[in-house]
Amino acid sequence: MSPSMVMVDETRKEEEDLYQKGVKHLSENGITKLPKKYVWPVSERPNNATKGEVPYTFKSNLNLPIIDFADLQGPNRSQVLKALANACEHYGFFQLVNHGIPCDVTSSMVDVGKRFFELPFEEREKYMTSNMYSPVRYGTSFNQTKDGVFSWRDFLKFMCHPLSDMLPHWPSSPLDFRKLVVTYVNETKYLFLMLMEAIIESLGLAITTTNITRQDDTDNILEELKDGSQLMVVNCYPPCPEPHLTLGMPPHSDYGFLTLLLQDEVEGLQIQLREKWFTVQPIPSSFVVNVGDHLEIFSNGRYKSVLHRAIVNSTRTRISVASLHSVPVTTTIRPWPKLTNEANPRRYMDTDFATFLKYASSSEPKKKNFLESRILI
Ligand code: OGA
Ligand code: NI
């Protein structure tokens, strides 16, 4: 190898090492041009229609269904259940307002997440690992050991249950991190269970007449979900020098039953409907809730796990916190037998979390590949 080729190789290695440190690091070093590593193909960049038509900008023209959680608990429950079913069937997403989690709990979660990313890199680096099975994982992009093109995001992921086993693995800095996050985890878990109870009812599975208690089989799924998994993902999207060339997160669907997404006031989430990308307008202290792959399977395709992505901007850091909920990792997920019959045969094969993790670590879990690998017909 000639000396100049050795130099080129070394420069490339230095660059690669730098990208592995994440985008907060790059942004803090004041880069003014987006490195090639982050430049997405034209057809996949923001503001482009997915099928390469005339470029579109979709700003606030998507009104996601709004579900009022307090209303769900009152005399209007049956109407709200209909709205919930409609949202899960046609959007795969809804905004949840009046959810009952105190404002200081949600704002503290965003704030402590933000403060984690403001720690010196050496502190954050302690949690960096490529091991998908690790109870806590700090990293960058989507799948930093596999991604060809990188995404403009850093993340902290941690598992939440059993809480007493997981807690010692969580970051010990900022000093109030564990205390604030435990409260947030308990509140979101409870909210998730209440939402799932409503969702099961909206699928027509629960019997609500007075003389019959809820069917055993729907109780089972709720019991499984009570003991289920909860993964918290704190996303940090720092200001990006050329946001129109890149993405904060590539198109993907979430694996679980439901994701509860909490975001600050900076917009960035986009969802794909009818082949086009729409920006979701943040509603202060609400949740964006979406159907995950496991619920699509459970409902035999009635409720949709919809593709979404994140875009970035040049001026403001954006923080989002996604709470992904499912059954315990060893539980088999299958279409609920009551929802399948001759006219509506089973559309997905059995799956479990372990199978998903194997799949995710062996290939790029982009788009709806995993779910598609489970489809029977
Ligand atoms: C996720 C996700 C979107 C966002 O964490 O799975 O889709 O806006 N996040 O950060
Ligand atoms: Ni997601």
Side-chain angles (χ1 to χ4, degrees):
M1 208 185 282
S2 74
S4 68
M5 277 173 77
V6 172
M7 283 237 313
V8 167
D9 256 23
E10 273 177 9
T11 316
R12 199 167 292 150
K13 187 172 175 317
E14 268 170 32
E15 279 176 5
E16 282 294 326
D17 287 350
L18 184 64
Y19 304 148
Q20 292 292 332
K21 286 186 169 180
V23 288
K24 187 88 182 30
H25 191 77
L26 281 181
S27 177
E28 279 164 0
N29 282 320
I31 59 156
T32 53
K33 196 172 169 347
L34 188 72
K36 240 194 182 148
K37 184 81 184 167
Y38 299 85
V39 176
W40 282 72
V42 175
S43 63
E44 292 176 55
R45 292 177 196 169
N47 297 342
N48 277 68
T50 42
K51 287 209 157 153
E53 305 122 306
V54 193
Y56 287 95
T57 309
F58 290 104
K59 291 298 280 184
S60 55
N61 51 357
L62 174 71
N63 292 322
L64 267 192
I66 294 178
I67 301 295
D68 187 319
F69 186 74
D71 221 13
L72 191 60
Q73 314 308 323
N76 293 333
R77 185 169 174 92
S78 62
Q79 270 157 278
V80 184
L81 286 177
K82 280 197 193 113
L84 187 61
N86 181 58
C88 295
E89 278 178 30
H90 300 292
Y91 296 81
F93 271 82
F94 55 90
Q95 305 246 32
L96 187 72
V97 299
N98 286 330
H99 47 69
I101 299 185
C103 252
D104 64 318
V105 174
T106 50
S107 59
S108 296
M109 181 64 234
V110 172
D111 181 63
V112 78
K114 190 169 189 170
R115 284 187 281 124
F116 173 82
F117 289 100
E118 284 164 1
L119 293 172
F121 178 71
E122 294 67 38
E123 187 61 36
R124 284 176 275 147
E125 193 187 14
K126 288 181 190 165
Y127 306 100
M128 225 168 200
T129 167
S130 55
N131 177 7
M132 308 268 282
Y133 299 90
S134 169
V136 51
R137 195 149 71 88
Y138 173 72
T140 190
S141 189
F142 199 64
N143 189 341
Q144 76 193 83
T145 54
K146 302 236 163 64
D147 296 344
V149 182
F150 266 25
S151 298
W152 193 263
R153 131 178 122 143
D154 292 342
F155 64 81
L156 175 71
K157 297 188 186 191
F158 48 96
M159 294 178 191
C160 303
H161 302 296
L163 203 49
S164 53
D165 293 348
M166 294 300 139
L167 200 60
H169 297 281
W170 292 1
S172 48
S173 184
L175 284 177
D176 52 356
F177 184 93
R178 292 182 183 174
K179 180 171 153 275
L180 295 172
V181 176
V182 164
T183 308
Y184 184 76
V185 164
N186 288 330
E187 293 275 0
T188 43
K189 175 81 184 209
Y190 176 76
L191 185 59
F192 162 71
L193 290 172
M194 296 294 279
L195 279 174
M196 278 309 301
E197 211 175 274
I199 281 183
I200 284 169
E201 207 175 323
S202 76
L203 283 165
L205 288 175
I207 293 178
T208 48
T209 50
T210 44
N211 57 347
I212 305 172
T213 49
R214 189 181 289 118
Q215 289 169 313
D216 285 350
D217 55 355
T218 52
D219 269 351
N220 279 348
I221 184 71
L222 282 172
E223 283 306 313
E224 298 260 15
L225 290 169
K226 255 184 216 159
D227 290 332
S229 63
Q230 183 173 6
L231 175 74
M232 204 60 82
V233 185
V234 188
N235 299 301
C236 174
Y237 306 95
C240 171
E242 293 175 287
H244 56 290
L245 301 179
T246 192
L247 290 171
M249 211 186 284
H252 67 280
S253 63
D254 297 343
Y255 66 79
F257 272 73
L258 292 178
T259 301
L260 274 57
L261 183 82
L262 178 68
Q263 46 181 339
D264 62 13
E265 69 288 356
V266 184
E267 65 181 42
L269 173 65
Q270 292 192 321
I271 73 173
Q272 195 184 55
L273 292 172
R274 301 178 296 274
E275 304 270 318
K276 296 190 171 82
W277 289 103
F278 295 88
T279 301
V280 174
Q281 294 304 305
I283 301 178
S285 69
S286 71
F287 285 97
V288 175
V289 180
N290 65 291
V291 173
D293 294 352
H294 294 168
L295 180 52
E296 179 169 326
I297 294 173
F298 177 81
S299 70
N300 201 33
R302 184 167 155 198
Y303 289 176
K304 302 286 186 305
S305 172
V306 165
L307 281 183
H308 53 285
R309 68 181 188 184
I311 58 170
V312 293
N313 73 83
S314 60
T315 52
R316 303 172 77 185
T317 294
R318 173 168 181 261
I319 299 285
S320 71
V321 184
S323 181
L324 285 80
H325 300 259
S326 191
V327 286
V329 291
T330 49
T331 302
T332 303
I333 296 146
R334 59 170 68 97
W336 205 244
K338 290 241 157 52
L339 295 173
T340 62
N341 53 42
E342 251 172 63
N344 186 17
R346 198 181 210 272
R347 295 176 56 191
Y348 307 85
M349 60 182 100
D350 288 4
T351 190
D352 62 24
F353 201 176
T355 315
F356 168 76
L357 276 178
K358 227 196 254 163
Y359 187 92
S361 55
S362 66
S363 71
E364 277 184 60
K366 284 230 185 104
K367 311 220 167 127
K368 293 186 76 163
N369 289 349
F370 179 68
L371 190 58
E372 276 156 13
S373 76
R374 307 278 91 195
I375 290 176
L376 287 167
I377 50 169

